[in-house]
Amino acid sequence: TASQPLVRSIAQLRIMASTSLRRTGQGVWGIIQRCTSAATSNGLSWQPAHWRCVSGITMPSPRNLDEVMKVEQLLDKTKEEVADIWMQYHSDPSKNRVGGVLSAAEYDTLKQRAKESPLFVVPVGKPGGGFLTMLMQCQMPFVLFTSLEEFRRNPSGAPPHFTLTHYPELLDSKHLALVRGDVVTDKVVSVQEGAVLLQLCRAFYTHDEDYKLVHDFNHSPAQFDFDALLRKLGHQPQQS
């Protein structure tokens, strides 16, 4: 059938990705390489807690929430107020960042499923029609997005164009987790498309019906239906 070449490609892709992640011993940190040299070449003092360097691209993406805002000032706020503050903080598109909020239950589900099924493909609609298929690679608290074609060509060194960082520090006190998305390459992923990717990651990993596609992609690639994914996202299925 028309879907068979894609299925074989996905199966090979899953194997390449899994092999690449196992080979590094540190999962996503095998893709996050050349940190010190790249940061130095950009005139930056590389500090693991403050910076992440992904395939030679240095970007501000703090790992800890208290490096983004003063956590103690949030303790007397309601969870609704915290969510509003976070979203307002990430509302300026010129900063190439987007924000999101997960409930504690959503975060726990996403974290467990990201470990169980760390890879997925997401078609993102582009202006003028058509779509770009992105590959998600999860290793919580991080999620990296690269283009499927770039990953096919170089699975261990494909550059990420958008990343998510999850902050679970307020799970106990506010019963929510905060999410930051960083646009790394705005010529590939716009801020608006980054916001879509953030919500698609949330939906596919926390909604039971949607997660079935993710599970099939990782564990039963022969059953994965890319056309069903396209239809779900409002794209035209590929013709044979």
Side-chain angles (χ1 to χ4, degrees):
T1 65
S3 63
Q4 285 178 336
L6 178 63
V7 167
R8 287 198 295 271
S9 173
I10 289 170
Q12 294 166 358
L13 183 65
R14 182 176 61 84
I15 292 170
M16 285 192 300
S18 298
T19 301
S20 174
L21 292 175
R22 286 197 302 270
R23 187 184 300 124
T24 66
Q26 292 180 307
V28 76
W29 300 116
I31 300 171
I32 302 178
Q33 335 181 17
R34 303 195 301 276
C35 293
T36 304
S37 60
T40 301
S41 68
N42 283 281
L44 297 169
S45 175
W46 184 68
Q47 302 176 57
H50 294 273
W51 295 90
R52 290 293 174 266
C53 176
V54 186
S55 294
I57 302 173
T58 305
M59 59 181 181
S61 185
R63 182 188 181 100
N64 301 314
L65 183 59
D66 60 8
E67 297 171 60
V68 180
M69 57 175 51
K70 296 181 179 179
V71 177
E72 66 272 12
Q73 294 184 2
L74 303 176
L75 297 181
D76 63 346
K77 307 293 185 183
T78 67
K79 65 180 182 179
E80 291 80 12
E81 289 172 333
V82 170
D84 287 343
I85 291 169
W86 182 256
M87 296 304 294
Q88 181 63 34
Y89 183 71
H90 292 85
S91 63
D92 184 354
S94 69
K95 295 184 181 297
N96 277 353
R97 294 195 301 248
V98 295
V101 180
L102 300 174
S103 68
E106 286 177 322
Y107 177 80
D108 289 344
T109 299
L110 189 154
K111 183 178 179 181
Q112 182 270 320
R113 289 176 171 175
K115 181 178 181 180
E116 177 183 71
S117 304
L119 300 171
F120 194 50
V121 286
V122 181
V124 178
K126 303 300 287 187
F131 58 86
L132 174 67
T133 302
M134 304 295 290
L135 176 73
M136 290 196 300
Q137 301 180 71
C138 304
Q139 185 159 332
M140 297 295 284
F142 305 105
V143 182
L144 277 66
F145 294 79
T146 190
S147 77
L148 183 62
E149 285 303 318
E150 287 174 296
F151 188 87
R152 280 192 177 119
R153 291 195 297 267
N154 187 4
S156 64
H161 300 299
F162 181 69
T163 68
L164 296 176
T165 305
H166 295 79
Y167 299 100
E169 286 91 333
L170 299 176
L171 285 174
D172 291 338
S173 60
K174 306 300 178 186
H175 306 293
L176 54 75
L178 304 177
V179 189
R180 165 181 277 188
D182 284 296
V183 174
V184 181
T185 315
D186 57 10
K187 292 182 179 180
V188 178
V189 176
S190 69
V191 173
Q192 293 77 15
E193 291 162 351
V196 171
L197 289 172
L198 187 156
Q199 292 303 326
L200 289 177
C201 178
R202 174 185 188 172
F204 279 107
Y205 278 86
T206 65
H207 299 169
D208 292 344
E209 180 181 349
D210 295 333
Y211 178 66
K212 184 181 185 306
L213 285 166
V214 181
H215 190 275
D216 283 349
F217 181 83
N218 285 267
H219 303 283
S220 304
Q223 299 178 26
F224 178 72
D225 188 344
F226 187 66
D227 285 349
L229 174 63
L230 290 176
R231 288 190 294 269
K232 179 180 284 289
L233 297 180
H235 303 300
Q236 183 67 32
Q238 297 173 322
Q239 300 299 314
S240 59

